[in-house]
Amino acid sequence: MVLNDRQIAQYEKDGYVSPIPVLSNAQANELRARLEKTERAQGGALYPAQRSKSYILFKWLNDLVRDPRVLDPIEQLIGPNILIWNTIFWVKEARSKSFVSWHQDTHYWGLSNDKVITAWIALSAAPIESGCMRVMPGTHRRTLRHEDRYHDDNMLTRGQEIDDGLDENDAVHMPLAAGEMSIHNYCLAHASGPNNSSDRRIGISLHFLPPDTKQIVGAWDCATLVRGIDPHHHFEDAAVPSCDLDPAVVAYHEKASRALSEVLYTGAAIKDRKL
Ligand SMILES: O=C(O)CCC(=O)C(=O)O
């Protein structure tokens, strides 16, 4: 067992657990190098659509979402049957203003289940000065009002931001070393500030579902069973890449990423595709 009773109780009460060691520093560096090789080959960055549903596109990430070091603590929190639904790259360049406003993902992902869980894995060091993840303990038990603010430096699709009297003094930072992971319930309010460090801050969020979850906003969606069984089949089985940017899955990934983008922008006044 990876998580002890205190950590499990903290997840239930506060909505998060951090840090959890997952990869060695060398393994995190190796995955970072794989990502940066793709970025270089494309002129310096991922394309916006490649940021999401990326486990369909990158073999190394499809392996990571099945890694027992990642899944064991997830199983302790949501049970033995686990689907990977989405993964998102969160790259903040060194000394960049990129930030993520306070938000609860539950309002935007079209999912029926409040057990949906996010694992955030650091591929670079993510100390406080780099704009690490922050959370508001206990807010996973409240529905908070959001507004779309469309800020250029906001990494979220529509600049969604909680406008419901949150007190910044209640926030907790979740700094991570490269290779460590934080976990939070997707109903929990979270955010992150600009990167004031001299290195890139590179993270990947992995979004896992119990199989009784449904997509209730989008007409079509996909996911991959990574542990246990799926008696429900609410999601199409996602394509699996046999190498990074496998030509056999590129069109499928584009379909999945576009379908997700449509869900994320449902009801938005402006659809400026960031994901
Ligand atoms: O990487 C960040 O700073 C924010 C990530 C995030 O919002 C998420 O994983 O849900």
Side-chain angles (χ1 to χ4, degrees):
M1 291 296 169
V2 181
L3 302 180
N4 59 34
D5 289 348
R6 185 190 53 75
Q7 288 172 307
I8 294 173
Q10 188 200 345
Y11 181 79
E12 295 305 327
K13 175 173 168 286
D14 294 332
Y16 72 97
V17 186
S18 184
I20 302 165
V22 171
L23 305 172
S24 68
N25 198 275
Q27 287 164 335
N29 282 338
E30 200 183 308
L31 299 188
R32 173 179 179 163
R34 299 274 293 258
L35 169 65
E36 292 185 331
K37 186 174 166 205
T38 303
E39 290 178 321
R40 272 195 309 278
Q42 297 187 165
L46 294 180
Y47 306 129
Q50 293 174 326
R51 287 186 56 214
S52 65
K53 290 280 188 185
S54 30
Y55 66 99
I56 298 173
L57 211 46
F58 297 100
K59 166 90 172 85
W60 62 266
L61 187 49
N62 207 281
D63 293 340
L64 186 63
V65 301
R66 299 162 193 272
D67 191 312
R69 294 169 293 182
V70 175
L71 293 179
D72 287 350
I74 299 296
E75 174 169 348
Q76 286 183 274
L77 300 174
I78 68 167
N81 302 321
I82 306 174
L83 294 168
I84 181 73
W85 169 68
N86 191 19
T87 53
I88 307 178
F89 286 108
W90 299 95
V91 179
K92 289 182 189 170
E93 298 303 331
R95 307 207 183 284
S96 81
K97 295 187 199 152
S98 296
F99 74 99
V100 170
S101 49
W102 285 105
H103 68 288
Q104 293 170 308
D105 290 313
T106 180
H107 296 271
Y108 301 96
W109 292 357
L111 299 172
S112 64
N113 200 325
D114 62 9
K115 285 198 178 153
V116 177
I117 196 165
T118 293
W120 196 101
I121 300 179
L123 295 192
S124 67
I128 290 177
E129 65 161 348
S130 74
C132 68
M133 287 271 285
R134 301 167 74 204
V135 289
M136 284 284 178
T139 48
H140 58 308
R141 283 181 265 104
R142 289 161 57 200
T143 300
L144 297 164
R145 197 177 55 243
H146 288 63
E147 269 193 12
D148 291 349
R149 295 198 172 140
Y150 298 101
H151 192 290
D152 281 347
D153 295 319
N154 194 335
M155 300 176 83
L156 299 179
T157 45
R158 39 164 96 187
Q160 59 265 39
E161 185 161 2
I162 292 170
D163 181 20
D164 210 354
L166 283 186
D167 183 348
E168 289 275 337
N169 294 319
D170 295 335
V172 172
H173 287 95
M174 298 197 294
L176 296 175
E180 287 182 333
M181 169 170 97
S182 63
I183 293 179
H184 67 270
N185 179 290
Y186 92 134
C187 306
L188 189 72
H190 57 287
S192 67
N195 182 359
N196 295 317
S197 79
S198 55
D199 191 13
R200 312 176 81 197
R201 193 221 66 166
I202 304 176
I204 320 170
S205 57
L206 282 51
H207 309 289
F208 295 104
L209 321 173
D212 59 342
T213 311
K214 289 184 185 162
Q215 172 54 259
I216 51 177
V217 170
W220 175 89
D221 205 343
C222 62
T224 296
L225 184 68
V226 287
R227 183 168 278 188
I229 54 164
D230 177 2
H232 300 282
H233 298 289
H234 292 317
F235 293 81
E236 183 173 294
D237 286 342
V240 176
S242 51
C243 59
D244 293 350
L245 300 175
D246 182 351
V249 302
V250 167
Y252 189 92
H253 169 264
E254 174 55 28
K255 177 183 172 182
S257 172
R258 184 176 300 278
L260 175 70
S261 190
E262 276 165 23
V263 169
L264 298 177
Y265 280 109
T266 298
I270 303 169
K271 299 189 179 178
D272 161 28
R273 195 162 173 196
K274 291 189 176 181
L275 278 177

